[in-house]
Amino acid sequence: MESYVFRVRGETVDKPKVVLGVSGGIAAYKACELLRRLTESGHDVRVVPTAAALHFVGEATWSALSGHPVSTEVWSDVHEVPHVRIGQEADLVVVAPATADMLAKAAHGMADDLLTNTLLTARCPVVFAPAMHTEMWEHPATRANVATLRDRGAVVIDPAVGRLTGVDTGKGRLPDPAEIFEVCRRVLARGVTAPDLAGRHVVVSAGGTREPLDPVRFLGNRSSGKQGYALARTAAARGARVTLIAANTGLPDPAGVDVVRVGTAVQLREAVLKAAPDADAVVMAAAVADFRPSAYATGKIKKKDGEEPEPIVLVRNPDVLAEISADRARAGQVVVGFAAETDDVLANGRTKLRRKGCDLLVVNEVGERRTFGSEENEAVVLGADGSETPVPYGPKEALAETVWDLVARRFG
Ligand SMILES: Cc1cc2nc3c(=O)[nH]c(=O)nc-3n(C[C@H](O)[C@H](O)[C@H](O)COP(=O)(O)O)c2cc1C
């Protein structure tokens, strides 16, 4: 895994200090994978498990994988005052999995072991990745504790939906460690202790719609969904509740994001209209087909000897961006569109911004080998207020961060 240099609190740091808190949930074993990703990408990780966590994964594993001694309580190495020092020195604290009990203790400022002491002494960004049974996650006490922690500036990643301990399934599963790692990386890179999108709900569309001709064929486009996923990930790391409407993407679900899967432009419109009413921002990064075949053949369209194929007649799809821009679901909602242009990029972008009526339009030049499917992007973000923000060629997450900077400024 590639190592990298971080800027933490304005300073270049080549080995950020991360505290990995592990509390007593069945998903503790997955924290080993998170630990491996953090150490292999150049972080100095100190693992602080709770006593309950050691029932699931033993001290030897944490110590060997992190290269540091491991303790659960404040009475070891007292001369080094670990209950204060570990938190004070950290550039990031991540608790994964965070039990219902740990969320409660953290929300109420309890300090009865090394991890809870560390949480009180840390002045760096803190990320919680809760994992528990759905009933525990949905209990009003847990909801209140999560709200308190978020209000104080912690990033609390929503659990994923899936198989839980035993045979039951539901919301409460620890997200994929690779996705928790991405959240940590982004939170650390930003280095702010108060996420600026905390308390906001944002809706992001991603991918490309497919308009079926028959049960096996469709008209589609080259959008991979990577830019929309980068927007969803960065928004979650900045504290937002994120609904990601994904059209035909094959990418892993970002941690802490509600993913709604759609196929066609009409389905995407329905999903956006359903999610938009309580959204503070809607970012339409999906490539939505302008047209769809006027007819759908219920059986596969067959070749007929000696006959030319029937021409495909197209009809217009709804213009979702124009519709949500014109009928804002709530006052002050910020609407962002994306325009992929192959020529006259800026002039076409300005015309499109006026026609669509959105607040921001991200305009980029696309072609067979540009933007689609790649990890990089280059764009200009046009504002309805006449502003122009160029974003140089770079990772799609850098463009995503710029979009959220501009959106957050419009929230006031
Ligand atoms: C097999 C088993 C699995 C558990 N899994 C979870 C879990 O996933 N999430 C959770 O919040 N609590 C879970 N618990 C309960 C916690 O271990 C218990 O609340 C404990 O006091 C947590 O301590 P800690 O927060 O100090 O780590 C589990 C308990 C057992 C016995």
Side-chain angles (χ1 to χ4, degrees):
M1 200 176 292
E2 217 178 295
S3 54
Y4 47 90
V5 174
F6 265 121
R7 286 180 68 77
V8 176
R9 297 181 204 105
E11 303 210 345
T12 301
V13 173
D14 58 7
K15 218 168 166 52
K17 285 189 165 55
V18 175
V19 172
L20 171 58
V22 184
S23 49
I26 198 86
Y29 74 95
K30 293 189 187 168
C32 299
E33 165 73 5
L34 177 60
L35 171 57
R36 194 187 61 79
R37 284 182 180 268
L38 287 165
T39 52
E40 286 184 7
S41 54
H43 301 82
D44 179 17
V45 189
R46 181 85 199 229
V47 182
V48 184
T50 63
L54 295 185
H55 285 289
F56 296 93
V57 179
E59 189 183 325
T61 302
W62 301 122
S63 184
L65 288 179
S66 68
H68 285 294
V70 164
S71 177
T72 62
E73 31 89 2
V74 295
W75 306 112
S76 315
D77 304 315
V78 175
H79 62 288
E80 290 180 1
V81 214
H83 76 286
V84 177
R85 197 177 42 79
I86 294 174
Q88 280 176 340
E89 289 179 356
D91 297 312
L92 175 81
V93 178
V94 50
V95 185
T99 55
D101 173 67
M102 183 50 59
L103 297 174
K105 283 179 172 164
H108 292 277
M110 290 175 71
D112 62 354
D113 64 3
L114 189 54
L115 180 53
T116 45
N117 275 272
T118 299
L119 286 167
L120 282 184
T121 52
R123 292 294 175 270
C124 58
V126 179
V127 175
F128 290 93
M132 62 198 70
H133 266 80
T134 312
E135 291 83 350
M136 292 173 96
W137 173 250
E138 288 177 349
H139 193 284
T142 306
R143 306 308 305 151
N145 292 331
V146 168
T148 301
L149 293 168
R150 283 181 172 153
D151 277 354
R152 283 195 205 127
V155 172
V156 184
I157 303 172
D158 264 30
V161 176
R163 179 92 187 261
L164 305 170
T165 319
V167 290
D168 35 0
T169 58
K171 189 159 186 165
R173 207 177 140 82
L174 190 74
D176 187 342
E179 293 298 323
I180 300 174
F181 170 73
E182 285 303 318
V183 173
C184 293
R185 210 166 63 82
R186 288 183 169 86
V187 170
L188 195 47
R190 281 180 61 75
V192 290
T193 44
D196 58 351
L197 298 181
R200 303 288 183 178
H201 176 211
V202 302
V203 176
V204 177
S205 71
T209 60
R210 289 179 180 174
E211 309 302 320
L213 280 158
D214 67 18
V216 292
R217 302 184 182 95
F218 57 82
L219 298 180
N221 60 65
R222 293 176 185 274
S223 178
S224 66
K226 286 180 181 169
Q227 184 60 64
Y229 275 57
L231 281 155
R233 282 201 182 90
T234 46
R238 290 167 75 152
R241 177 162 73 85
V242 184
T243 304
L244 174 63
I245 297 167
N248 308 297
T249 57
L251 303 168
D253 289 355
V257 165
D258 278 332
V259 183
V260 180
R261 295 193 191 283
V262 295
T264 65
V266 168
Q267 289 167 356
L268 184 136
R269 173 181 176 271
E270 277 169 22
V272 169
L273 294 185
K274 190 169 170 212
D278 76 339
D280 298 288
V282 182
V283 180
M284 294 287 295
V288 185
D290 291 328
F291 310 105
R292 67 177 184 276
S294 64
Y296 173 73
T298 50
K300 187 180 169 196
I301 301 167
K302 297 262 187 330
K303 272 188 298 203
K304 289 187 194 132
D305 284 345
E307 279 185 33
E308 288 300 313
E310 292 286 324
I312 298 170
V313 179
L314 299 174
V315 292
R316 286 181 85 114
N317 266 330
D319 186 335
V320 191
L321 179 58
E323 186 177 347
I324 56 166
S325 299
D327 300 321
R328 303 286 166 129
R330 60 191 284 188
Q333 186 178 68
V334 180
V335 178
V336 184
F338 271 67
E341 301 287 346
T342 49
D343 42 34
D344 259 346
V345 176
L346 276 186
N348 283 338
R350 282 195 196 95
T351 311
K352 195 164 184 176
L353 175 67
R354 278 192 295 276
R355 203 176 64 235
K356 301 282 186 182
C358 49
D359 301 290
L360 294 164
L361 190 74
V362 183
V363 190
N364 55 16
E365 193 171 348
V366 292
E368 280 198 26
R369 268 181 283 281
R370 298 192 65 154
T371 301
F372 288 128
S374 87
E375 304 297 332
E376 279 85 29
N377 211 343
E378 179 182 3
V380 178
V381 187
L382 303 177
D385 56 0
S387 62
E388 270 184 27
T389 311
V391 184
Y393 187 75
K396 286 182 171 171
E397 67 183 59
L399 173 57
E401 296 283 13
T402 304
V403 169
W404 293 125
D405 288 345
L406 295 167
V407 168
R409 220 172 286 163
R410 277 157 180 80
F411 288 154

